[in-house]
Amino acid sequence: MSVSDYTETEGLPAADRTPYKPWSYDTASAKLYIPRLGAGQDRWFAAALSDQKGKAPSRLAVFAERPQHKRWEMVSVVDLDSPKLPDIALDHDGYATAVAADGNKHLAADANPLRTAVLDNFATGGTHTGRKVFTPTTASKRQIEVHDKTGTRFGDQGTTVFAGAANRYKDAYALKTADGGALVLFSHMHTQTDAVAHSGLQINPGKEDRAWLHDVPRTSITYMFVCNDAATVPAKAAPSRLIGYTCARTDASGPPAPSWSDRVQRTRAPPDGRRTFPAPCLLRRAPCPLALSSPAPPSARATQASTSSSTACPATTFPCSWPPTSTSSDATSRPCAGTSSTTSPSAGTNSAPISSTMSRPHS
């Protein structure tokens, strides 16, 4: 389980959490690529791993020594689209040859243009550099498909835009292949921003977003992704092959919809500076997970507050305070702790979803 998975799981109610099952690999079938390194060079190696004995590798991982932590750490792992691995060049002692992943003039592309091309696949569908740097593979086609399908799913009611983000993980690793090229492993970060097309619409987060968005409707949501990528690069001027990538969502944020503040009436802050809500205070749960919906007009909102009703999904009644005082794992992921109550839909409101639901951002 990654830190991202752990964060998302902690935001779920206890009943929705699945037991953690650690991923393990078969050491007997692991293929290790250990480079012969000189004095002063950082020590690392790559490993092709399988989760079952006798099964072809499904992941490619990089382990690096971290002297400051006095241990070795897995710093990158990529899910492979094919069990067929590139032919790594080995010397007479069985060691691999490490080559420069950045600034290598003996390769058709180093980590920087590869990273740029991957970002372009997400941002434009590969129209600028993605389709030029990479020959079509399962991995590159999947990135382009994420752009094409995710970017149009809201129709004229919303937009989705991908963009590169400041990369905190600039370490890249490369091993020489038998054909003179290299296997390059690198990381990138990108954002996915979903936004409503005009006022009167809102994006309702799903339960998978609760750890970051706390069930608060938004006018836009920006998701942050950290991804690991693996590509084979030829020595001559020719397209590279993206052989796998793995992304994890690490953050999500966005401005609350105006309807949120309209539904919650705050009282004066007491002397200690804490703000409290009238108890119980009614917070209408989103009609459907991550659906674009239109909030009710002010007259309808008054009716909703008095009848404790919603259009498509349960309402949630919280006897609450702000900030939350509960330390339970379920309560800390929501604006305030309380109990849920289901009510029937009310007539005359216009808060029903007006586009298809989006279960979650891409992965």
Side-chain angles (χ1 to χ4, degrees), residues 282 296-310 346-349:
L282 178 69
S299 60
R301 291 174 194 158
T303 302
Q304 289 175 342
S306 62
T307 60
S308 301
S309 59
S310 70
S346 61
T349 63

Side-chain angles (χ1 to χ4, degrees), residues 24-32 48-50 52-53:
S24 60
Y25 52 87
D26 179 47
T27 56
S29 60
K31 296 182 179 180
L32 303 183
L49 305 174
S50 172
Q52 295 182 19
K53 186 175 182 180

Side-chain angles (χ1 to χ4, degrees), residues 29 44 57 60 81 121 157 177 181 226 228 275 292 311 352 358-359:
S29 60
W44 64 275
L60 194 59
D81 287 309
N121 281 345
Q157 297 171 344
T177 53
V226 175
N228 296 323
R275 290 184 174 182
L292 283 173
T311 298
M358 176 182 65
S359 61

Side-chain angles (χ1 to χ4, degrees), residues 210-298:
R210 181 177 290 170
W212 297 281
L213 301 176
H214 313 293
D215 293 334
V216 178
R218 313 279 172 159
T219 55
S220 69
I221 299 175
T222 296
Y223 301 96
M224 179 69 72
F225 291 91
V226 175
C227 307
N228 296 323
D229 310 87
T232 55
V233 182
K236 59 183 180 181
S240 302
R241 291 178 53 85
L242 189 68
I243 62 174
Y245 77 95
T246 301
C247 288
R249 177 180 43 171
T250 60
D251 195 14
S253 61
S259 59
W260 173 262
S261 56
D262 290 345
R263 289 189 176 95
V264 179
Q265 297 180 354
R266 300 182 179 182
T267 62
R268 287 176 50 189
D272 63 358
R274 292 186 56 201
R275 290 184 174 182
T276 60
F277 296 109
C281 59
L282 178 69
L283 307 182
R284 187 178 66 81
R285 190 175 295 280
C288 286
L290 278 176
L292 283 173
S293 63
S294 177

Side-chain angles (χ1 to χ4, degrees), residues 140-189:
S140 60
K141 289 178 180 178
R142 191 164 70 249
Q143 290 177 345
I144 292 172
E145 183 179 26
V146 167
H147 167 270
D148 294 344
K149 290 188 175 181
T150 307
T152 58
R153 71 194 182 287
F154 288 148
D156 60 358
Q157 297 171 344
T159 59
T160 295
V161 176
F162 294 94
N167 187 25
R168 300 196 306 267
Y169 308 98
K170 299 180 180 180
D171 291 348
Y173 305 87
L175 294 172
K176 185 178 181 180
T177 53
D179 60 3
L183 168 65
V184 182
L185 301 108
F186 59 99
S187 300
H188 81 270
M189 294 178 63

